[in-house]
Each structure stands twice: as C-alpha cells, then as structure tokens.
Amino acid sequence: LVIPKITKVDLKNNAESFSKDMISAMSKHKMGLQVTIQKPEDLIKNNAKLYRTEFGGGFAIKPDGEIIAVFNPIDAPSGSAYPMLQLAIDQGGKKLDAFNTYLPKVYETVGMKPVARVKWNDAFAPEGWSKETFKKYNNGEPDLVLFVYDKNYFGGDKIDDLPLFTEYDDAQKIQTQALK
C-alpha cells in the first residue's frame, strides 16, 4: 500500500477547493457517480472535518461520525484509499454508506461492517447514473449498503443476506442500533 501524507485542513478556507477537487476527480472516474459530491455549503453546514492527501484526494467526517466524500484522483497511487479510511476511523469516523459495487470490499478491509441495505430506487439515482456502466452490479441497480465500524471485523458477511429496506430511514435505524 501507498501511505499518503494526509493533513487536516480548515473547513471554511478549504470547503470550496475540496468540493471542486472532488468534482474534478470523480468526473474522470468511470464509476465516479457512485460517490456523492459534497457541496461547500453542505460541508460547512454539517461542520465536517476535512482531510486532504498529498495526491489531491480527501475525505470528510461529520460530527456524528459519518465518513463522507472519500475520493482520490484517477492518477493517485493504487491502494492509497485504505490509509485514508484508517485515518478517518482514527479521527472519529464510525459509519458510512456505499453502493454495493466494489466499494464494500474496500470498506470491509478496514473494519467497516455492513449492517443493512436499501433497495435501489431510480428516483434517488445520482444524476447522470448509467445502468450500463454499473451493469455488473445488479444490472446497474446496486443496493445502498450501510456500514458501522467494528474493530474486530474485516470482511466476510454476505451483503445479500442483510436486511433490505425500501426506505433509507428504516435502514439507518439498524445502523444506529449497530453503533450501540
């Protein structure tokens, strides 16, 4: 793994550049639409802690421990997301959500345990979503998986066996309970 230098940056002075860099990085990834772009005003409103890597990537942590906006430019060294996630956990990250693509395997590797799923709903698909691009993941309709950090978990649960909900709030209740 490549361990990048990661720096916590001031929210108010860096929210704009963080968001712009995230948009730029994700627009160059074939599967970049699976990552929710964070607008500067949302980062500020959520009082997120921002972290940047020497390779131009970053992540944010909301006060409730939700890890959001994990991104890397397309030319960042392979494997550099793992140290970012480990630092996010070390800095208070304890939960996150991700589409059931290749991301769950990445998140499980650092101790994020899947606890619930939300069934795909076209009405909530990211703008510009291509079912053809994501075809190998449930025919382009991957469920949303909710995770919690568990220091003793490093993969193995079958995501398809998790409780499946049609409403995000119902799955989030399971996630909140799992945090306890």
Side-chain angles (χ1 to χ4, degrees):
L1 295 177
V2 173
I3 301 176
K5 180 180 176 188
I6 304 171
T7 306
K8 183 177 180 187
V9 297
D10 177 72
L11 174 62
K12 290 191 180 178
N13 292 326
N14 291 278
E16 185 76 32
S17 63
F18 184 97
S19 183
K20 283 181 181 178
D21 290 349
M22 185 178 196
I23 290 168
S24 175
M26 294 298 89
S27 71
K28 295 173 184 159
H29 279 275
K30 179 180 177 185
M31 295 187 167
L33 287 176
Q34 68 185 315
V35 178
T36 302
I37 300 298
Q38 297 296 313
K39 297 176 183 173
E41 58 271 19
D42 292 334
L43 292 166
I44 292 169
K45 178 182 78 172
N46 287 316
N47 196 29
K49 295 188 286 186
L50 299 184
Y51 296 82
R52 298 302 307 264
T53 75
E54 66 183 296
F55 304 125
F59 63 89
I61 307 170
K62 292 166 64 173
D64 69 353
E66 183 178 5
I67 301 167
I68 58 173
V70 179
F71 76 98
N72 248 337
I74 196 94
D75 58 352
S78 181
S80 59
Y82 294 98
M84 287 194 318
L85 291 164
Q86 289 173 318
L87 181 61
I89 291 164
D90 185 58
Q91 295 297 305
K94 56 187 177 183
K95 63 182 181 174
L96 54 77
D97 305 343
F99 285 113
N100 191 12
T101 60
Y102 60 84
L103 291 177
K105 288 189 185 333
V106 173
Y107 296 146
E108 286 181 305
T109 301
V110 298
M112 286 291 178
K113 182 176 181 157
V115 295
R117 298 178 295 149
V118 180
K119 185 169 179 47
W120 175 267
N121 183 333
D122 285 336
F124 298 108
E127 186 177 332
W129 186 267
S130 166
K131 290 185 182 181
E132 186 60 35
T133 298
F134 291 91
K135 187 175 182 139
K136 77 182 213 178
Y137 304 105
N138 196 34
N139 290 316
E141 298 182 352
D143 295 334
L144 183 68
V145 182
L146 284 69
F147 296 82
V148 298
Y149 177 65
D150 178 343
K151 68 179 181 175
N152 297 311
Y153 179 81
F154 295 97
D157 285 357
K158 292 184 179 171
I159 289 176
D160 290 341
D161 292 343
L162 295 172
L164 179 63
F165 299 92
T166 56
E167 300 294 328
Y168 181 83
D169 290 348
D170 293 332
Q172 195 174 41
K173 289 176 188 171
I174 300 294
Q175 185 184 45
T176 300
Q177 185 61 36
L179 284 171
K180 296 178 183 177

